[in-house]
Amino acid sequence: MPVIAEPDRLPALRRLGLSPALLRLAAGQAPHPALARCLSGPPFYLYRGAHSPPGSPLVPLWDLHDQALAVRAATDALEFLRFSIEAPAHPEHLARTEAGFWATQFDALYELDLDLDALHAAAQAVGYRHLALQLGARDAYEREDAAHPAWLSGLVARIDALQV
């Protein structure tokens, strides 16, 4: 499916209503140094021949190694996706709101053993208001020894629902 043209990418992200912090990150400027760990640079693959998942046009956010992160307008919300450039037909649905998307990024930072003070500072820098909820849910999840992907999907769905 089509990808928004590279010169139109940042204006398209603005039209989708993304926050200034997410726009800065998409432009390659981390609002907090810890957030530089979430990306490996501005989008490259989707503008250099990689295929994208089926569906409506994507607006690339950035690349992370051999994966692309993107967002697109869905029927009643946004759709944040991550997919391998090797298997674009099987994207991973990350979230339906920016807050849900931030939950996935802060989970990745937590998994990288980011100091909790730095995690809180990064959350404040981007206006992510659900970090306390996320960390509390993580404590419960770790005691239950549940499957991480299912736990994270449930957390993101909960945060997405709070945004509606």
Side-chain angles (χ1 to χ4, degrees):
M1 207 61 208
V3 174
I4 297 297
E6 196 167 9
D8 299 329
R9 185 176 73 88
L10 291 176
L13 292 172
R14 277 187 208 90
R15 282 191 302 276
L16 289 173
L18 300 185
S19 71
L22 190 51
L23 290 170
R24 281 186 60 203
L25 198 55
Q29 304 165 353
H32 185 276
L35 293 166
R37 297 179 181 197
C38 292
L39 63 138
S40 60
F44 177 83
Y45 299 117
L46 290 174
Y47 293 120
R48 307 301 183 281
H51 295 284
S52 63
S56 59
L58 288 176
V59 186
L61 290 167
W62 55 78
D63 294 338
L64 181 60
H65 310 297
D66 67 345
Q67 305 229 332
L69 282 92
V71 62
R72 63 180 164 199
T75 304
D76 59 346
L78 297 176
E79 183 179 24
F80 288 88
L81 301 170
R82 175 174 49 215
F83 56 94
S84 167
I85 61 166
E86 305 292 328
H90 305 288
E92 178 184 3
H93 171 83
L94 296 177
R96 296 177 56 77
T97 66
E98 184 176 327
F101 176 74
W102 282 123
T104 66
Q105 301 309 291
F106 279 91
D107 180 69
L109 291 172
Y110 183 93
E111 290 289 326
L112 291 171
D113 293 324
L114 185 66
D115 174 81
L116 288 180
D117 288 337
L119 201 62
H120 283 283
Q124 185 174 8
V126 300
Y128 178 56
R129 302 181 331 247
H130 302 288
L131 185 61
L133 168 72
Q134 184 167 351
L135 294 175
R138 181 173 262 286
D139 285 343
Y141 143 74
E142 288 174 346
R143 285 192 301 275
E144 294 171 9
D145 195 30
H148 183 264
W151 168 79
L152 184 56
S153 291
L155 174 69
V156 168
R158 185 173 164 195
I159 290 172
D160 281 349
L162 290 172
Q163 301 306 298
V164 178

